[in-house]
Amino acid sequence: MDNLPDHSSLSGLSGLSGLSDDLYLDVADFAHATPRWIQLLAEVWTEAGLLLFGVLFVAGWWRARSGTNGAMALALLAPLATAFGYVVSEVLKSVVDEERPCRAVAGAPASLLPCPPTGDWSLPSNHAAIAGAAAVALVLSWRGIGWLTVPMALLMAFSRVFVGVHYPHDVVVGLLLGGVVALLVVKGADRPVRALVETARSSGNGAVVWCAGRGPRPHASTRPGGVRDGAY
C-alpha cells in the first residue's frame, strides 16, 4: 500500500498541466487573432531581443572603462553570468525531456514559428533563461537600467509562448532560473574578477589596459595656498 501513488498529488500535477495547456491555447488563439505585423514583430523580437542584450553588455563594458575596478568587474561578469544561466537551463532541459506544446497540445493552432524537432525539449525555455539572467546581471552592473532590461526579459519570455513554441510554465521557470543563476555567479565571482581587473589596469600591455579601461581619473591634488598641482 505504501508504494501506491499519491492520487491527490497526481491530480494536482495534472491540474497544473491542464492550466498551462489552457493558458497556452489562450495565448495561441490571441496570437492568431492579431494583425500580421504584430506577429512579425513577435517573430523578430524572439531572436532580436537576444542581440539587444548583447549590445547592452558592450555598452555596459564601455561605460565601465572609466569606472572603478568593481564597476568593470560587474560589467565583465554580466555576459559571463548570462552564459552560465544558459548552460544550466540547457542541462535541466536535457533532464526534464518535456515535449513542445506545438506538438503535444491537442487542438492547438499552428505555431507562428516552426515547431522545434523532438529532442529539442521545452522546459525550461533557454530564451527566457538567457533573458532573465541578462536582465538581472545588467541591473547589478548598471544601476538604473532595470526599467529597460526587466520589460525586455518579460517580453522575450512572453514572445516564446506567443509564437507557439513554449508553455507559459516553461518561460516562468526559465526567467527565474536564469535570474537566480546570474545572481549567484555575480556575487560569487565578484571578488576574484575585481582583483583581475586591478591587475589588468596596472599592466604594461597597452591592449590589456585599453580593454580593462584606466578607471576613474584621479582628482588633482591641492597644494597649501589653494593652488592645484599642475595649475599655472
Side-chain angles (χ1 to χ4, degrees):
M1 296 293 291
D2 292 340
N3 293 326
L4 292 177
D6 185 340
H7 293 291
S8 63
S9 298
L10 293 177
S11 176
L13 291 175
S14 176
L16 289 174
S17 176
L19 176 61
S20 195
D21 285 1
D22 291 342
L23 287 173
Y24 173 78
L25 287 171
D26 288 342
V27 174
D29 289 339
F30 168 71
H32 279 268
T34 58
R36 181 55 186 158
W37 65 269
I38 293 181
Q39 297 175 9
L40 289 173
L41 281 178
E43 293 169 20
V44 171
W45 172 253
T46 197
E47 300 295 342
L50 300 179
L51 297 178
L52 184 52
F53 275 120
V55 170
L56 290 176
F57 289 146
V58 174
W61 159 76
W62 184 260
R63 70 189 291 273
R65 292 175 70 252
S66 60
T68 63
N69 294 340
M72 176 54 78
L74 291 174
L76 294 176
L77 280 169
L80 180 63
T82 302
F84 268 90
Y86 164 74
V87 170
V88 173
S89 174
E90 185 64 29
V91 170
L92 182 58
K93 183 190 291 282
S94 67
V95 173
V96 176
D97 292 358
E98 177 190 74
E99 187 58 271
R100 297 276 180 163
C102 42
R103 185 174 295 106
V105 177
S111 55
L112 299 182
L113 290 180
C115 193
T118 298
D120 185 353
W121 305 113
S122 193
L123 177 69
S125 163
N126 283 342
H127 283 71
I130 292 171
V136 169
L138 283 165
V139 165
L140 293 173
S141 64
W142 190 337
R143 182 173 298 179
I145 199 68
W147 67 269
L148 176 61
T149 61
V150 171
M152 280 175 58
L154 294 175
L155 190 58
M156 171 72 68
F158 178 74
S159 73
R160 301 303 289 167
V161 184
F162 187 92
V163 299
V165 295
H166 276 293
Y167 290 102
H169 66 262
D170 295 340
V171 299
V172 171
V173 172
L175 284 172
L176 294 175
L177 179 66
V180 170
V181 170
L183 179 63
L184 293 176
V185 170
V186 170
K187 294 299 184 182
D190 177 61
R191 183 172 296 180
V193 174
R194 189 180 303 214
L196 182 62
V197 170
E198 184 177 359
T199 301
R201 285 179 166 178
S202 60
S203 169
N205 187 306
V208 172
V209 173
W210 184 87
C211 289
R214 297 188 179 276
R217 294 181 179 180
H219 295 291
S221 60
T222 303
R223 296 197 305 264
V227 180
R228 291 186 175 182
D229 290 338
Y232 296 92

